[in-house]
Amino acid sequence: MATQHSPLLAAENGDGQDPAVAGQAYFDQIIEDDSRVEPRDWMPDAYRKTLIRQISQHAHSEIIGMQPEGNWISRAPSLKRKAILMAKVQDEAGHGLYLYSAAETLGTPREVLNDQLLAGKARYSSIFNYPARSWADMGAIGWLVDGAAICNQVPLCRASYGPYARAMVRVCKEESFHQRQGFEILLELANGTPAQKQMAQEAINGMYAPALMMFGPPDSDSAHSSQSMAWNIKRFSNDELRQRFVGMIAEQVKVLGLTLPDDDIRFNKDTGKWEYGELDWQEFNEVLAGRGPCNAQRMERRREAHENGAWVREAAAAFAAKRAQKEQVA
Ligand code: BYC
């Protein structure tokens, strides 16, 4: 396996090679072999930086993404729905933790990443700056948001950075369950009263375009895609994944007996690809600039939650210090 030893060590042991040159050659070989880079391997600074950026943005998305659904736990229509929603939100916290851990293996402590988020200097997915106004939105989030997440993240299970790829495997398994429960909420509403069916349709109408924007800007505006693909971090471009997702949901929505709010969706037999109507990229840029419907509220709640959790962090640190002291004595 290409990743078992580092050429840096060989160079340090006196074989006369420049460590940076040996490291770059070793890294290039791993990428060419489509193998895995592990935390102690040499890697270019820009590769490390890209991974920290993408993984931390992803982690922040999971943490901020707890809010729209967390807001509905107390309003779930039954005990069963409440228990399922609580478990889903808890899973998302777990995903955030796996991802922060993966980012830490690249040398950036979680506290630093968290400070960047709290200071408003870090990105998280645009989708979580939209409101969840009805119970049907819990269905649309599960079906469309988790669905888009899976479509984007399954290829990331083959990302070249080992800890990230391994975290993605577990995240994707849990997201699949989330997507099914969301679909099931919509199915039940779609087969309910006319008002319930309308609520489900409105939730899809509201969540459709923001879910498509989760895949990032069009390829022509995607600053990082080509380099990330050359490094085997991303396996497909933003537009490739987006059109693949449209194809999936265009079929699934028929089972719901509902529609997607886009008359231009069609399968192009010549290209073998799904096509869809123009998205409002101006709106996307506004959300990224912090001017989406819920940006301010999401950040305010996150800061509040962080402050309210100070006592837990202090207690955990005191407990860990006491245990370390005991171990030293023993
Ligand atoms: N929202 O060059 P590009 C979840 C930024 S959580 C905000 O194409 P890249 C879930 C991008 O960061 C879902 N920002 O970038 C949780 C870059 O800005 P910077 C999160 C976006 O990285 C709870 C700039 O635009 N999933 O599933 O090659 C409940 C140019 O973009 C967005 C992930 O994070 C956006 N939508 O590709 C339920 C997956 N799109 O950094 C569900 C991992 C782009 O230069 N991430 N930007 O300032 C990725 O796959 C990639 O990072 C992206 C973007 C496809 C998102």
Side-chain angles (χ1 to χ4, degrees):
M1 189 63 190
T3 50
Q4 273 174 352
H5 65 88
S6 161
L8 263 188
L9 295 178
E12 282 159 5
N13 287 341
D15 70 357
Q17 260 190 309
D18 176 344
V21 174
Q24 182 71 53
Y26 175 75
F27 174 83
D28 291 346
Q29 193 61 50
I30 293 181
I31 300 301
E32 198 182 314
D33 292 348
D34 204 353
S35 188
R36 289 265 161 90
V37 179
E38 294 297 338
R40 296 182 65 188
D41 289 333
W42 187 93
M43 61 188 89
D45 283 345
Y47 176 82
R48 187 184 296 277
K49 218 170 131 190
T50 285
L51 282 165
I52 294 171
R53 179 185 64 78
Q54 178 164 329
I55 298 172
S56 63
Q57 286 177 4
H58 194 165
H60 299 326
S61 305
E62 298 283 355
I63 299 301
I64 298 283
M66 293 163 73
Q67 292 187 31
E69 291 171 294
N71 289 341
W72 275 90
I73 290 174
S74 61
R75 291 175 286 171
S78 70
L79 182 60
K80 185 182 113 184
R81 293 288 183 201
K82 193 192 285 275
I84 295 171
L85 190 59
M86 278 172 70
K88 181 180 191 291
V89 172
Q90 207 168 6
D91 283 351
E92 278 144 17
H95 298 172
L97 299 188
Y98 313 150
L99 287 159
Y100 284 127
S101 298
E104 284 195 312
T105 66
L106 291 155
T108 312
R110 189 171 138 193
E111 294 73 29
V112 171
L113 299 173
N114 193 49
D115 287 349
Q116 289 168 358
L117 176 66
L118 296 176
K121 290 180 187 154
R123 290 203 191 286
Y124 58 86
S125 184
S126 49
I127 186 74
F128 301 116
N129 293 309
Y130 289 86
R133 292 201 173 97
S134 75
W135 174 251
D137 280 329
M138 297 302 99
I141 289 177
W143 178 46
L144 293 174
V145 176
D146 287 87
I150 295 168
C151 194
N152 172 253
Q153 286 162 209
V154 165
L156 292 174
C157 297
R158 294 190 290 117
S160 55
Y161 188 58
Y164 187 33
R166 289 189 286 274
M168 280 299 100
V169 172
R170 186 157 172 192
V171 169
C172 285
K173 282 186 186 158
E174 292 175 357
E175 300 283 31
S176 302
F177 175 74
H178 296 169
Q179 188 196 20
R180 278 158 188 248
Q181 69 86 33
F183 188 82
E184 203 261 334
I185 289 175
L186 289 177
L187 190 62
E188 194 161 319
L189 291 173
N191 289 306
T193 64
Q196 286 172 327
K197 186 170 181 177
Q198 189 188 341
M199 184 165 69
Q201 183 61 62
E202 281 168 8
I204 292 174
N205 294 350
M207 219 52 87
Y208 169 79
L212 259 57
M213 290 174 183
M214 288 173 71
F215 294 94
D219 291 351
S220 52
D221 295 336
S222 171
H224 306 291
S225 278
S226 57
Q227 182 59 75
S228 291
M229 286 168 76
W231 278 329
N232 297 341
I233 297 172
K234 284 169 88 162
R235 298 288 176 160
F236 300 97
S237 75
N238 299 354
D239 286 333
E240 279 170 333
L241 290 173
R242 191 169 12 250
Q243 68 86 23
R244 184 183 290 186
F245 178 62
V246 169
M248 284 164 48
I249 58 175
E251 293 301 322
Q252 292 168 0
V253 77
K254 293 179 193 162
V255 180
L256 294 173
L258 300 172
T259 56
L260 296 176
D262 180 351
D263 295 334
D264 294 330
I265 295 176
R266 67 179 196 112
F267 184 69
N268 184 330
K269 284 194 185 119
D270 297 332
T271 59
K273 289 190 172 179
W274 285 85
E275 291 171 358
Y276 48 88
E278 193 54 40
L279 294 167
D280 183 353
W281 292 109
Q282 174 68 27
E283 177 183 310
F284 176 75
N285 290 329
E286 283 293 299
V287 174
L288 259 62
R291 295 186 289 269
C294 299
N295 293 58
Q297 178 191 328
R298 299 290 186 238
M299 286 310 302
E300 199 183 309
R301 291 295 301 275
R302 179 86 282 280
R303 291 187 185 111
E304 214 176 82
H306 185 74
E307 276 165 30
N308 291 342
W311 70 271
V312 180
R313 291 189 296 279
E314 278 162 25
F319 180 76
K322 202 157 194 173
R323 197 169 56 181
Q325 208 176 30
K326 258 191 199 162
E327 277 167 10
Q328 245 176 8
V329 172

